Amino acid sequence: MKILITDGISPEGAKILPDAGFQVDKVKLTPEELVARIGEYDSIIVRSATKVTKEVIAAGKNLKVIARGGVGLDNIDAAAAAAANITVLNTPGASAVSVAELALAHMLTVSRFLHVSSMEMRQGKWPKK
């Protein structure tokens, strides 16, 4: 199976796929280049930058899987993929820990008035109360 990765991948993922016997090409392509080359591949792995449009899907004569390393599918034409009988995958829980950490950080910021202190320090103030 030949896999195209267009938006980068973790070092672990970059090692796992070839070790499992997949041929992997990691290439950043323009939309036009993607349409021209997608026919060579059985699968494409994207993140947020690459748009997998209906034109890309139509040109992907060998495509079986479109995978997104991310929560949504906003950059993939899922309807066109379904019509072409191509499986679309994503990683819905990938950012759950980061979102939880950010939510807690914001709660601490508001409860301890860190945002106010930050603004005051930028104004050269150092109020103690």
Side-chain angles (χ1 to χ4, degrees), residues 97-123:
V97 171
S98 296
V99 170
E101 291 171 343
L102 183 61
L104 286 171
H106 283 301
M107 285 185 239
L108 289 170
T109 296
V110 171
S111 70
R112 300 299 298 160
F113 300 99
L114 297 177
H115 57 294
V116 174
S117 296
S118 176
M119 288 187 311
E120 289 174 338
M121 285 185 63
R122 288 185 194 141
Q123 295 169 355

PDB file of all heavy atoms in Angstrom, residues 97-123:
ATOM      1  N   VAL A  97      -6.775  16.026  25.963  1.00  0.00           N
ATOM      2  CA  VAL A  97      -5.931  16.398  27.107  1.00  0.00           C
ATOM      3  C   VAL A  97      -5.534  17.871  27.011  1.00  0.00           C
ATOM      4  O   VAL A  97      -5.597  18.612  27.997  1.00  0.00           O
ATOM      5  CB  VAL A  97      -4.693  15.484  27.197  1.00  0.00           C
ATOM      6  CG1 VAL A  97      -3.709  15.985  28.243  1.00  0.00           C
ATOM      7  CG2 VAL A  97      -5.130  14.056  27.525  1.00  0.00           C
ATOM      8  N   SER A  98      -5.152  18.319  25.815  1.00  0.00           N
ATOM      9  CA  SER A  98      -4.757  19.719  25.644  1.00  0.00           C
ATOM     10  C   SER A  98      -5.920  20.665  25.930  1.00  0.00           C
ATOM     11  O   SER A  98      -5.732  21.717  26.546  1.00  0.00           O
ATOM     12  CB  SER A  98      -4.243  19.950  24.216  1.00  0.00           C
ATOM     13  OG  SER A  98      -3.088  19.202  23.996  1.00  0.00           O
ATOM     14  N   VAL A  99      -7.104  20.304  25.493  1.00  0.00           N
ATOM     15  CA  VAL A  99      -8.279  21.141  25.750  1.00  0.00           C
ATOM     16  C   VAL A  99      -8.574  21.197  27.248  1.00  0.00           C
ATOM     17  O   VAL A  99      -8.864  22.268  27.796  1.00  0.00           O
ATOM     18  CB  VAL A  99      -9.501  20.630  24.957  1.00  0.00           C
ATOM     19  CG1 VAL A  99     -10.776  21.335  25.401  1.00  0.00           C
ATOM     20  CG2 VAL A  99      -9.279  20.818  23.468  1.00  0.00           C
ATOM     21  N   ALA A 100      -8.477  20.066  27.932  1.00  0.00           N
ATOM     22  CA  ALA A 100      -8.713  20.037  29.380  1.00  0.00           C
ATOM     23  C   ALA A 100      -7.677  20.893  30.107  1.00  0.00           C
ATOM     24  O   ALA A 100      -8.017  21.651  31.024  1.00  0.00           O
ATOM     25  CB  ALA A 100      -8.679  18.603  29.890  1.00  0.00           C
ATOM     26  N   GLU A 101      -6.414  20.786  29.707  1.00  0.00           N
ATOM     27  CA  GLU A 101      -5.363  21.595  30.326  1.00  0.00           C
ATOM     28  C   GLU A 101      -5.620  23.082  30.127  1.00  0.00           C
ATOM     29  O   GLU A 101      -5.477  23.884  31.054  1.00  0.00           O
ATOM     30  CB  GLU A 101      -3.993  21.226  29.740  1.00  0.00           C
ATOM     31  CG  GLU A 101      -3.511  19.860  30.136  1.00  0.00           C
ATOM     32  CD  GLU A 101      -2.271  19.422  29.385  1.00  0.00           C
ATOM     33  OE1 GLU A 101      -1.947  20.013  28.327  1.00  0.00           O
ATOM     34  OE2 GLU A 101      -1.629  18.460  29.847  1.00  0.00           O
ATOM     35  N   LEU A 102      -6.010  23.457  28.913  1.00  0.00           N
ATOM     36  CA  LEU A 102      -6.291  24.862  28.628  1.00  0.00           C
ATOM     37  C   LEU A 102      -7.483  25.362  29.441  1.00  0.00           C
ATOM     38  O   LEU A 102      -7.458  26.474  29.978  1.00  0.00           O
ATOM     39  CB  LEU A 102      -6.530  25.069  27.134  1.00  0.00           C
ATOM     40  CG  LEU A 102      -6.756  26.507  26.694  1.00  0.00           C
ATOM     41  CD1 LEU A 102      -5.548  27.382  27.008  1.00  0.00           C
ATOM     42  CD2 LEU A 102      -7.090  26.551  25.214  1.00  0.00           C
ATOM     43  N   ALA A 103      -8.519  24.545  29.549  1.00  0.00           N
ATOM     44  CA  ALA A 103      -9.693  24.941  30.332  1.00  0.00           C
ATOM     45  C   ALA A 103      -9.311  25.175  31.798  1.00  0.00           C
ATOM     46  O   ALA A 103      -9.723  26.175  32.411  1.00  0.00           O
ATOM     47  CB  ALA A 103     -10.779  23.876  30.232  1.00  0.00           C
ATOM     48  N   LEU A 104      -8.509  24.281  32.362  1.00  0.00           N
ATOM     49  CA  LEU A 104      -8.065  24.456  33.746  1.00  0.00           C
ATOM     50  C   LEU A 104      -7.181  25.691  33.887  1.00  0.00           C
ATOM     51  O   LEU A 104      -7.299  26.439  34.874  1.00  0.00           O
ATOM     52  CB  LEU A 104      -7.326  23.210  34.228  1.00  0.00           C
ATOM     53  CG  LEU A 104      -8.224  22.016  34.521  1.00  0.00           C
ATOM     54  CD1 LEU A 104      -7.396  20.765  34.783  1.00  0.00           C
ATOM     55  CD2 LEU A 104      -9.125  22.303  35.710  1.00  0.00           C
ATOM     56  N   ALA A 105      -6.312  25.923  32.913  1.00  0.00           N
ATOM     57  CA  ALA A 105      -5.453  27.104  32.960  1.00  0.00           C
ATOM     58  C   ALA A 105      -6.288  28.381  32.949  1.00  0.00           C
ATOM     59  O   ALA A 105      -6.012  29.323  33.703  1.00  0.00           O
ATOM     60  CB  ALA A 105      -4.481  27.095  31.783  1.00  0.00           C
ATOM     61  N   HIS A 106      -7.332  28.412  32.124  1.00  0.00           N
ATOM     62  CA  HIS A 106      -8.198  29.593  32.090  1.00  0.00           C
ATOM     63  C   HIS A 106      -8.952  29.761  33.409  1.00  0.00           C
ATOM     64  O   HIS A 106      -9.129  30.891  33.890  1.00  0.00           O
ATOM     65  CB  HIS A 106      -9.184  29.513  30.923  1.00  0.00           C
ATOM     66  CG  HIS A 106      -8.566  29.830  29.596  1.00  0.00           C
ATOM     67  ND1 HIS A 106      -7.947  31.022  29.312  1.00  0.00           N
ATOM     68  CD2 HIS A 106      -8.471  29.094  28.471  1.00  0.00           C
ATOM     69  CE1 HIS A 106      -7.504  31.023  28.080  1.00  0.00           C
ATOM     70  NE2 HIS A 106      -7.806  29.849  27.541  1.00  0.00           N
ATOM     71  N   MET A 107      -9.399  28.660  33.987  1.00  0.00           N
ATOM     72  CA  MET A 107     -10.091  28.751  35.279  1.00  0.00           C
ATOM     73  C   MET A 107      -9.163  29.313  36.351  1.00  0.00           C
ATOM     74  O   MET A 107      -9.573  30.162  37.155  1.00  0.00           O
ATOM     75  CB  MET A 107     -10.605  27.368  35.694  1.00  0.00           C
ATOM     76  CG  MET A 107     -11.814  26.910  34.928  1.00  0.00           C
ATOM     77  SD  MET A 107     -12.418  25.353  35.590  1.00  0.00           S
ATOM     78  CE  MET A 107     -12.312  24.327  34.165  1.00  0.00           C
ATOM     79  N   LEU A 108      -7.916  28.861  36.376  1.00  0.00           N
ATOM     80  CA  LEU A 108      -6.954  29.379  37.351  1.00  0.00           C
ATOM     81  C   LEU A 108      -6.652  30.856  37.086  1.00  0.00           C
ATOM     82  O   LEU A 108      -6.537  31.653  38.019  1.00  0.00           O
ATOM     83  CB  LEU A 108      -5.664  28.561  37.316  1.00  0.00           C
ATOM     84  CG  LEU A 108      -5.780  27.152  37.890  1.00  0.00           C
ATOM     85  CD1 LEU A 108      -4.524  26.347  37.582  1.00  0.00           C
ATOM     86  CD2 LEU A 108      -6.024  27.198  39.388  1.00  0.00           C
ATOM     87  N   THR A 109      -6.537  31.215  35.811  1.00  0.00           N
ATOM     88  CA  THR A 109      -6.276  32.608  35.445  1.00  0.00           C
ATOM     89  C   THR A 109      -7.375  33.520  35.961  1.00  0.00           C
ATOM     90  O   THR A 109      -7.108  34.565  36.574  1.00  0.00           O
ATOM     91  CB  THR A 109      -6.149  32.738  33.914  1.00  0.00           C
ATOM     92  OG1 THR A 109      -5.012  32.005  33.486  1.00  0.00           O
ATOM     93  CG2 THR A 109      -6.014  34.181  33.482  1.00  0.00           C
ATOM     94  N   VAL A 110      -8.618  33.134  35.731  1.00  0.00           N
ATOM     95  CA  VAL A 110      -9.745  33.964  36.154  1.00  0.00           C
ATOM     96  C   VAL A 110      -9.862  33.985  37.675  1.00  0.00           C
ATOM     97  O   VAL A 110     -10.086  35.038  38.281  1.00  0.00           O
ATOM     98  CB  VAL A 110     -11.053  33.467  35.493  1.00  0.00           C
ATOM     99  CG1 VAL A 110     -12.263  34.155  36.079  1.00  0.00           C
ATOM    100  CG2 VAL A 110     -10.993  33.685  33.990  1.00  0.00           C
ATOM    101  N   SER A 111      -9.682  32.854  38.312  1.00  0.00           N
ATOM    102  CA  SER A 111      -9.865  32.800  39.769  1.00  0.00           C
ATOM    103  C   SER A 111      -8.767  33.547  40.527  1.00  0.00           C
ATOM    104  O   SER A 111      -9.004  34.030  41.627  1.00  0.00           O
ATOM    105  CB  SER A 111      -9.937  31.344  40.245  1.00  0.00           C
ATOM    106  OG  SER A 111      -8.675  30.721  40.129  1.00  0.00           O
ATOM    107  N   ARG A 112      -7.600  33.666  39.937  1.00  0.00           N
ATOM    108  CA  ARG A 112      -6.494  34.370  40.612  1.00  0.00           C
ATOM    109  C   ARG A 112      -6.201  35.726  39.981  1.00  0.00           C
ATOM    110  O   ARG A 112      -5.210  36.361  40.298  1.00  0.00           O
ATOM    111  CB  ARG A 112      -5.226  33.507  40.576  1.00  0.00           C
ATOM    112  CG  ARG A 112      -5.379  32.159  41.264  1.00  0.00           C
ATOM    113  CD  ARG A 112      -5.714  32.255  42.726  1.00  0.00           C
ATOM    114  NE  ARG A 112      -4.630  32.923  43.430  1.00  0.00           N
ATOM    115  CZ  ARG A 112      -4.744  33.505  44.605  1.00  0.00           C
ATOM    116  NH1 ARG A 112      -5.893  33.495  45.237  1.00  0.00           N
ATOM    117  NH2 ARG A 112      -3.714  34.088  45.169  1.00  0.00           N
ATOM    118  N   PHE A 113      -7.052  36.177  39.067  1.00  0.00           N
ATOM    119  CA  PHE A 113      -6.935  37.485  38.413  1.00  0.00           C
ATOM    120  C   PHE A 113      -5.579  37.665  37.716  1.00  0.00           C
ATOM    121  O   PHE A 113      -5.020  38.761  37.678  1.00  0.00           O
ATOM    122  CB  PHE A 113      -7.178  38.619  39.428  1.00  0.00           C
ATOM    123  CG  PHE A 113      -8.541  38.561  40.042  1.00  0.00           C
ATOM    124  CD1 PHE A 113      -8.716  37.996  41.302  1.00  0.00           C
ATOM    125  CD2 PHE A 113      -9.652  39.024  39.365  1.00  0.00           C
ATOM    126  CE1 PHE A 113      -9.980  37.914  41.871  1.00  0.00           C
ATOM    127  CE2 PHE A 113     -10.918  38.953  39.938  1.00  0.00           C
ATOM    128  CZ  PHE A 113     -11.090  38.390  41.190  1.00  0.00           C
ATOM    129  N   LEU A 114      -5.064  36.602  37.152  1.00  0.00           N
ATOM    130  CA  LEU A 114      -3.772  36.681  36.462  1.00  0.00           C
ATOM    131  C   LEU A 114      -3.838  37.577  35.231  1.00  0.00           C
ATOM    132  O   LEU A 114      -2.853  38.243  34.892  1.00  0.00           O
ATOM    133  CB  LEU A 114      -3.290  35.287  36.072  1.00  0.00           C
ATOM    134  CG  LEU A 114      -3.015  34.324  37.224  1.00  0.00           C
ATOM    135  CD1 LEU A 114      -2.603  32.961  36.707  1.00  0.00           C
ATOM    136  CD2 LEU A 114      -1.975  34.890  38.160  1.00  0.00           C
ATOM    137  N   HIS A 115      -4.963  37.608  34.571  1.00  0.00           N
ATOM    138  CA  HIS A 115      -5.121  38.457  33.394  1.00  0.00           C
ATOM    139  C   HIS A 115      -5.009  39.937  33.769  1.00  0.00           C
ATOM    140  O   HIS A 115      -4.415  40.727  33.036  1.00  0.00           O
ATOM    141  CB  HIS A 115      -6.445  38.159  32.682  1.00  0.00           C
ATOM    142  CG  HIS A 115      -7.649  38.322  33.546  1.00  0.00           C
ATOM    143  ND1 HIS A 115      -7.918  37.511  34.629  1.00  0.00           N
ATOM    144  CD2 HIS A 115      -8.658  39.219  33.487  1.00  0.00           C
ATOM    145  CE1 HIS A 115      -9.044  37.902  35.202  1.00  0.00           C
ATOM    146  NE2 HIS A 115      -9.515  38.927  34.524  1.00  0.00           N
ATOM    147  N   VAL A 116      -5.535  40.303  34.924  1.00  0.00           N
ATOM    148  CA  VAL A 116      -5.448  41.690  35.394  1.00  0.00           C
ATOM    149  C   VAL A 116      -3.995  42.019  35.747  1.00  0.00           C
ATOM    150  O   VAL A 116      -3.469  43.060  35.358  1.00  0.00           O
ATOM    151  CB  VAL A 116      -6.381  41.912  36.615  1.00  0.00           C
ATOM    152  CG1 VAL A 116      -6.194  43.304  37.194  1.00  0.00           C
ATOM    153  CG2 VAL A 116      -7.831  41.669  36.218  1.00  0.00           C
ATOM    154  N   SER A 117      -3.342  41.122  36.453  1.00  0.00           N
ATOM    155  CA  SER A 117      -1.942  41.336  36.817  1.00  0.00           C
ATOM    156  C   SER A 117      -1.068  41.457  35.578  1.00  0.00           C
ATOM    157  O   SER A 117      -0.154  42.280  35.531  1.00  0.00           O
ATOM    158  CB  SER A 117      -1.434  40.186  37.686  1.00  0.00           C
ATOM    159  OG  SER A 117      -2.137  40.150  38.902  1.00  0.00           O
ATOM    160  N   SER A 118      -1.342  40.659  34.584  1.00  0.00           N
ATOM    161  CA  SER A 118      -0.568  40.715  33.342  1.00  0.00           C
ATOM    162  C   SER A 118      -0.711  42.081  32.674  1.00  0.00           C
ATOM    163  O   SER A 118       0.283  42.677  32.247  1.00  0.00           O
ATOM    164  CB  SER A 118      -1.035  39.608  32.394  1.00  0.00           C
ATOM    165  OG  SER A 118      -0.358  39.696  31.164  1.00  0.00           O
ATOM    166  N   MET A 119      -1.939  42.609  32.603  1.00  0.00           N
ATOM    167  CA  MET A 119      -2.158  43.927  32.000  1.00  0.00           C
ATOM    168  C   MET A 119      -1.467  45.019  32.810  1.00  0.00           C
ATOM    169  O   MET A 119      -0.855  45.929  32.247  1.00  0.00           O
ATOM    170  CB  MET A 119      -3.657  44.218  31.894  1.00  0.00           C
ATOM    171  CG  MET A 119      -4.353  43.394  30.830  1.00  0.00           C
ATOM    172  SD  MET A 119      -6.087  43.846  30.532  1.00  0.00           S
ATOM    173  CE  MET A 119      -6.790  43.909  32.162  1.00  0.00           C
ATOM    174  N   GLU A 120      -1.561  44.919  34.141  1.00  0.00           N
ATOM    175  CA  GLU A 120      -0.950  45.946  34.988  1.00  0.00           C
ATOM    176  C   GLU A 120       0.568  45.934  34.856  1.00  0.00           C
ATOM    177  O   GLU A 120       1.206  46.989  34.803  1.00  0.00           O
ATOM    178  CB  GLU A 120      -1.379  45.751  36.444  1.00  0.00           C
ATOM    179  CG  GLU A 120      -2.836  46.116  36.668  1.00  0.00           C
ATOM    180  CD  GLU A 120      -3.335  45.800  38.060  1.00  0.00           C
ATOM    181  OE1 GLU A 120      -2.732  44.943  38.753  1.00  0.00           O
ATOM    182  OE2 GLU A 120      -4.350  46.398  38.465  1.00  0.00           O
ATOM    183  N   MET A 121       1.158  44.761  34.785  1.00  0.00           N
ATOM    184  CA  MET A 121       2.621  44.688  34.631  1.00  0.00           C
ATOM    185  C   MET A 121       3.071  45.294  33.309  1.00  0.00           C
ATOM    186  O   MET A 121       4.109  45.951  33.240  1.00  0.00           O
ATOM    187  CB  MET A 121       3.100  43.240  34.734  1.00  0.00           C
ATOM    188  CG  MET A 121       3.096  42.736  36.164  1.00  0.00           C
ATOM    189  SD  MET A 121       3.786  41.088  36.310  1.00  0.00           S
ATOM    190  CE  MET A 121       5.446  41.345  35.769  1.00  0.00           C
ATOM    191  N   ARG A 122       2.287  45.118  32.253  1.00  0.00           N
ATOM    192  CA  ARG A 122       2.631  45.709  30.956  1.00  0.00           C
ATOM    193  C   ARG A 122       2.566  47.231  30.998  1.00  0.00           C
ATOM    194  O   ARG A 122       3.175  47.905  30.182  1.00  0.00           O
ATOM    195  CB  ARG A 122       1.696  45.169  29.877  1.00  0.00           C
ATOM    196  CG  ARG A 122       1.985  43.734  29.540  1.00  0.00           C
ATOM    197  CD  ARG A 122       1.134  43.233  28.392  1.00  0.00           C
ATOM    198  NE  ARG A 122       1.225  41.790  28.338  1.00  0.00           N
ATOM    199  CZ  ARG A 122       0.235  40.982  28.060  1.00  0.00           C
ATOM    200  NH1 ARG A 122      -0.954  41.461  27.769  1.00  0.00           N
ATOM    201  NH2 ARG A 122       0.404  39.686  28.044  1.00  0.00           N
ATOM    202  N   GLN A 123       1.791  47.749  31.945  1.00  0.00           N
ATOM    203  CA  GLN A 123       1.683  49.202  32.115  1.00  0.00           C
ATOM    204  C   GLN A 123       2.739  49.725  33.088  1.00  0.00           C
ATOM    205  O   GLN A 123       2.748  50.886  33.436  1.00  0.00           O
ATOM    206  CB  GLN A 123       0.288  49.557  32.629  1.00  0.00           C
ATOM    207  CG  GLN A 123      -0.818  49.233  31.646  1.00  0.00           C
ATOM    208  CD  GLN A 123      -2.204  49.332  32.279  1.00  0.00           C
ATOM    209  OE1 GLN A 123      -2.360  49.558  33.477  1.00  0.00           O
ATOM    210  NE2 GLN A 123      -3.228  49.138  31.446  1.00  0.00           N
TER     211      GLN A 123
END
